[in-house]
Amino acid sequence: MTDSIFQEFKNFKVLLVGNPRAKFEAIQAIRSSLDSQGNSISFEQPDRLPVVELAKSTYDVAVSGFIKPTFIVHPDEVFAKLIQSLKANGKLYLVEPICSESIQGLPFRTSEELVKLVKVIFFLLYSLFFIL
């Protein structure tokens, strides 16, 4: 599945978000797939995203959660950074576990909560952009 998604990426600037539990071989497999299409790849670990400065409006594509094991729950601040880093027509490809209903105390979201979060972050970021 992953390779077929990455076939669409040709000569793109790609932000690849890793997984701290991933093996080196898993990271290299995805990088190789992206490299074979002539993409320029930047790599970052998800736990570092809240503290690093990502260039705004830089990437054509941001990819997170595809490196096995794919179990990553993206904090709100990570979503905001990923969305900020995308160009105007950029795309976010994301794999995240979701629940069919909210369970208090667990970090998982429902699909509705995930969509709502992305919409709110997008609205806030671009509303601030126009105010500034």
Side-chain angles (χ1 to χ4, degrees):
M1 177 181 112
T2 305
D3 285 340
S4 63
I5 291 171
F6 295 157
Q7 294 301 315
E8 299 175 23
F9 307 168
K10 294 189 190 307
N11 302 311
F12 284 171
K13 195 159 188 179
V14 178
L15 173 60
L16 176 61
V17 179
N19 181 336
R21 294 178 299 278
K23 293 184 178 175
F24 178 75
E25 295 80 16
I27 296 168
Q28 284 304 106
I30 293 210
R31 284 191 73 121
S32 295
S33 180
L34 290 166
D35 279 339
S36 68
Q37 302 296 319
N39 296 299
S40 170
I41 304 165
S42 297
F43 180 80
E44 194 56 70
Q45 288 289 11
D47 54 335
R48 289 187 30 82
L49 283 174
V51 296
V52 297
E53 286 296 320
L54 287 178
K56 295 179 179 161
S57 302
T58 300
Y59 299 99
D60 300 296
V61 176
V63 177
S64 184
F66 282 84
I67 299 175
K68 294 182 181 184
T70 57
F71 183 81
I72 296 178
V73 177
H74 299 83
D76 297 358
E77 60 200 349
V78 169
F79 268 108
K81 287 257 183 143
L82 291 173
I83 292 170
Q84 279 181 316
S85 73
L86 292 172
K87 291 180 180 177
N89 291 322
K91 293 183 180 180
L92 174 61
Y93 288 82
L94 182 75
V95 174
E96 179 169 308
I98 58 171
C99 292
S100 58
E101 59 184 59
S102 290
I103 301 172
Q104 190 169 359
L106 291 180
F108 307 117
R109 301 176 180 93
T110 64
S111 58
E112 294 82 15
E113 290 169 335
L114 186 59
V115 169
K116 182 179 177 183
L117 173 65
V118 172
K119 286 180 180 179
V120 166
I121 290 171
F122 182 81
F123 175 77
L124 290 175
L125 289 175
Y126 286 94
S127 295
L128 289 174
F129 174 75
F130 289 114
I131 292 171
L132 300 175

